[in-house]
Amino acid sequence: MLTLFIQLKNSIMLGCQYSLIAIGFTLFFGMLNVVVFCHGGFYIFAAFAATALITAFRFSSSPFFLSIVTLLLLFTAMSITGALGVLVERTTIRPFRRSPSVIPILSTIGVGTIIEQLLKLFYPQGSNPQVFPEVIRYGKIVFGAFFLTRSEIIIIGITGIIFILMYFFINKTKIGLQVVAISQDWEAAGMMGINLDRMVSITFFLGAALAAVAGFMNGIYYTVFRYDMGSIAGIKGFSAAVVGGLGSVFGAVLGGFLMAFVETFSAAYIPGGSAIRDVFSFLVVLLFLIFRPSGILGERKAEKV
Amino acid sequence: MNAQDKVLEAKDIVISFGGLKALNGINLYLKRNEILGLIGPNGSGKTTFFNVVSGLYTPDSGSVIFNSETITGKTPQAIASLGVIRTFQTSRLWNELSILDNLLLGTFMQKKPGIASTLFTYKKVKEDFKRKGEEALALLSIFNPELVRTRSRRAKELALVDRRRVEITRAILTKPQILLLDEPAAGMDPAETRQLMEDISKIKQEKKELSIIIIEHDMAVISTIAERVVVFNFGKKIAEGLFSEISANKEVREAYLGKEHKHAGN
Amino acid sequence: MKTKSSFVKTLGMEIALFTGIFLFLYGQIWLSALVIVIAVGGVFLLRKGTFLSQVSQTAEKNKTFFISFTVFLLLLFPFLFMNNIYIIHIITLSFIYAIAILGLNFQIGSLGIVNFSQGALFGLGAYTSALLATKLGLNFWITLPAGIIVAGIFGFILGLPSLKTKEYHLSLVTIAFAYVSYLLILNMKWTGGPDGIVGIPKPRLLGLSLARPLAIGSITIPGVMLYYFLVLLFLLIAIIIALRLHNSWVGLTWNAIRDDEIASRCYGINLTTYKLLCFIIGSMFAGASGVLYAHFAGFFSTESMAFSIGLLMVCMVILGGMDNIWGGLIGAILLVVIPEKFRAFQDFRLLFYGIILVVMLLFRPQGLFPNKTRKHSGIGE
């Protein structure tokens, strides 16, 4: 029973990460019909950025478990990542707006490779595993044999807050509604006077920032990270978005947790499972792509003859 | 008129898209070696009808019979192989391929892949190409010798008029029994339109086994070339007969009320 | 057109090309860089005038001569590197990849499907042959067709989703397929796991083993060079097959499916047959390539069939030119030879590939050698 709770907790922790990454994919896809393969690159870049900033600028440990300075530095790293997202969009995605959709896939794979390799080659000791600085002082809440650490609670909490904010953003704010409008009909939205380019940039900033948060969570939770973890995380996040339905934010969340559960439980309960748990993820997305590309929640689009 | 004279017959075709009935019980027939005009306001279901006949859509109910054989439910490639060929409003050519390549694919229609023959009897393949290619260019020169001269140009570089000509040539090269032309004269000026209609009449006279349905908005075209006319509105057939009959029909006039159209001798 | 002078020009051009390649391969890094600069500069200068079109027309008219001459030069080429056989090694490697690229170009260039799995199929062919050779001791000439057939079967499996799935979704399927293949083989015990398979034997041909040097009179031909000739033979066969497919009904139909599926269906083309054919044949090329690689290196592991290899192969097609047989070959050769030549910058290899991919897509997506419409000389003249 205890192991069940632990696996459940692991799944939720993993699901938080996957969901945040998946939301980015789904936003980009919904808006531009592109699969942004370098999203994993944003994720891992953020981890590096945060590590660099915090290591450079944090001077003393604070009395609080999470200091204001650290928080500011994390926001800075998040913003830098968001800016990177905008840069990538402007240079390697916007030029291909009218090209066949496979071209941005290729270009973003290229960009993802470039980001990873630049980190590996030009960050000090970049090819080695990095240690994420401790930003949350250790503490835990105990429930009998089961316990939750402070980090875990904060991660789950932050993810929950982000989901709520996303909900309000998409459904209640002007910008959010514009994003939805563009996703549904690009041309009509343009004709309504929506500044398409600006909205795209905002979406990319947002998506990359969310990936950054996922990157921080990964650093906080697993402590060690490496430059090449980006692509795997990206692919998993993408799978989650496909399963949930590309274009649906709720689907991304659903898909993220679903994938996390499948992965965690298959690793725990199927013999030899942990070695091929990635295979499960890929098989799932493979099946969805072939048999239900619209995902669980997505919509189908018919071709006009 | 017995069944033999009807080369194509549509019975009670009904098809809906998301709750909207695009075709609501269509009954019509096409006689052998006849040119049937199909007219009606935009959205009345004309192209949808072509899509059903050519097999791209399967109707919810009803059947299409070609030469006593039911073709509803067959794949588009099977229907094409039987001899029902269509053109598209947007002239679907294979854009990256040259004019000649587009035509060659028209002549080739029923062949199997023949990997073995490709690899081992390549010379025969080349001879095949030469024969079919000459045939294709001969037909194309009737429409426009200039196109023959520039046959290596990619289809995407062609002007609209030439795209249509290539598409119609390609369609005829398949040696069809039924030709479904979807607004072939759209985008052409009166002189080009007249020329196109003459060419179509000529071809129809030469090929006695060919029957044509032509969708058009240009009433001058319909009045000249169509031997019989069917009128669609909101997915239903509202009139049928000679052009003179249907143009006097009150319901037909109402369907077109307010629409600008070229009328012969008005 | 003065035939004699243009003939001389073309001949001179070909000799200059081979000389340049020789200098690039043989010389120090600074010389290699210089050759690249001259080549690029030369292309820019010559593109404006009629020189290049004259040369290609002359080559076309005297096809037999120039093909024979090129083959002759290719046979001669390795002898120039007798005291640096590592270079022969590199060239052979690039030819091996070129075979896989020819197959990949059927999917990417002709059919228009970006397939990231060619590396996986390369590996499947390699593993099949390697396992049969090492575990069952079978002859290369049995394991080679076996590898090709197995790759073809998996190609068929990979092709099945193409019947239902559209465009970029299909590309994503190929990515997933590549990862699944890689991970499954990596984690199976009998495939050797991450250590792969070692001790893959060199082929034996007409009694002599390609593992040992061959002495002819006073010349000793190293084993590497023998393997080079073997690979060259396969490459030439592959080129002939690719050319014939491209210039026949098959190639035309593939292009038609790429350009407009709906029109293709309405003109009697059976999408299923042609799509599957494309995947099967393309995969067989990959399988052959993988087998040749495995027996060349003597060792094969999943590292050589990872997703990055599939991605590299796609880059080769894009760099060289989609739907252009010569472009694909050049792309393969460039992306194998150049990084090997500049080995000092080994660490920057992946970065280099990524940059090339993005730059090509932004500035010259049609590749170095864009696709040209089929000539059909002899029709209508």
Side-chain angles (χ1 to χ4, degrees), chain C residues 179-237:
Chain C
Y179 269 99
V180 170
S181 317
Y182 167 79
L183 287 168
L184 282 177
I185 296 184
L186 180 64
N187 288 298
M188 290 199 280
K189 288 276 168 11
W190 57 284
T191 56
D195 300 324
I197 303 182
V198 296
I200 307 175
K202 292 275 188 302
R204 296 181 65 87
L205 179 58
L206 305 173
L208 54 80
S209 162
L210 266 64
R212 273 177 259 117
L214 176 67
I216 299 183
S218 52
I219 309 178
T220 312
I221 304 180
V224 176
M225 214 192 285
L226 293 173
Y227 211 87
Y228 167 91
F229 291 125
L230 179 69
V231 171
L232 181 61
L233 176 65
F234 277 101
L235 179 61
L236 291 175
I237 294 175

Side-chain angles (χ1 to χ4, degrees), chain B residues 143-205:
Chain B
F143 283 102
N144 186 347
E146 180 62 17
L147 287 175
V148 174
R149 204 178 57 80
T150 60
R151 60 187 175 277
S152 293
R153 271 193 302 165
R154 291 185 204 263
K156 68 181 178 186
E157 294 169 21
L158 294 176
L160 180 64
V161 168
D162 289 326
R163 286 178 68 89
R164 296 211 182 277
R165 289 176 174 144
V166 172
E167 193 189 24
I168 292 177
T169 313
R170 179 183 70 181
I172 295 171
L173 284 169
T174 65
K175 299 192 173 35
Q177 288 190 48
I178 294 184
L179 201 49
L180 305 172
L181 299 174
D182 200 338
E183 296 191 43
M188 290 192 185
D189 65 36
E192 291 161 343
T193 308
R194 217 178 316 124
Q195 182 64 49
L196 182 65
M197 292 308 131
E198 279 174 22
D199 295 330
I200 293 179
S201 297
K202 209 183 342 165
I203 289 167
K204 176 242 175 189
Q205 273 172 2

Side-chain angles (χ1 to χ4, degrees), chain A residues 6-21:
Chain A
I6 293 180
Q7 296 306 337
L8 223 62
K9 181 199 68 173
N10 289 340
S11 310
I12 294 180
M13 297 309 296
L14 200 60
C16 291
Q17 275 189 60
Y18 288 169
S19 304
L20 288 177
I21 301 176

Side-chain angles (χ1 to χ4, degrees), chain B residues 54 56 76-77 80-81 84-88 92-98 100-101 104-109 111-113 115 118-120 122 125-126 128-130 132-134 137 151-152 154 167 170-171 174, chain C residues 240-274 277 281 323 370-381:
Chain B
S54 61
L56 286 170
Q77 51 264 34
S81 304
V84 179
I85 300 295
R86 64 164 300 172
T87 65
F88 294 88
R92 285 180 178 257
L93 296 176
W94 293 298
N95 282 321
E96 298 296 326
L97 291 176
S98 65
L100 181 53
D101 283 334
L104 279 171
L105 279 163
T107 64
F108 140 62
M109 244 199 27
K111 237 167 142 44
K112 293 279 180 288
I115 290 291
T118 301
L119 296 179
F120 300 114
Y122 189 57
V125 173
K126 288 276 110 181
D128 211 17
F129 266 70
K130 187 165 161 65
K132 298 257 168 74
E134 306 268 348
L137 293 177
R151 60 187 175 277
S152 293
R154 291 185 204 263
E167 193 189 24
R170 179 183 70 181
T174 65
Chain C
I240 293 176
I241 296 178
L243 281 172
R244 288 194 170 182
L245 283 174
H246 184 261
N247 290 319
S248 69
W249 298 117
V250 178
L252 263 184
T253 309
W254 282 341
N255 287 149
I257 297 177
R258 171 197 65 196
D259 287 347
D260 196 325
E261 271 195 19
I262 289 180
S264 302
R265 291 163 76 196
C266 290
Y267 276 80
I269 293 175
N270 188 327
L271 300 183
T272 309
T273 323
Y274 282 91
L277 207 59
I281 297 182
D323 204 15
N371 163 260
K372 295 222 161 73
T373 56
R374 293 169 175 77
K375 284 201 183 63
H376 295 301
S377 48
I379 302 183
E381 271 162 26

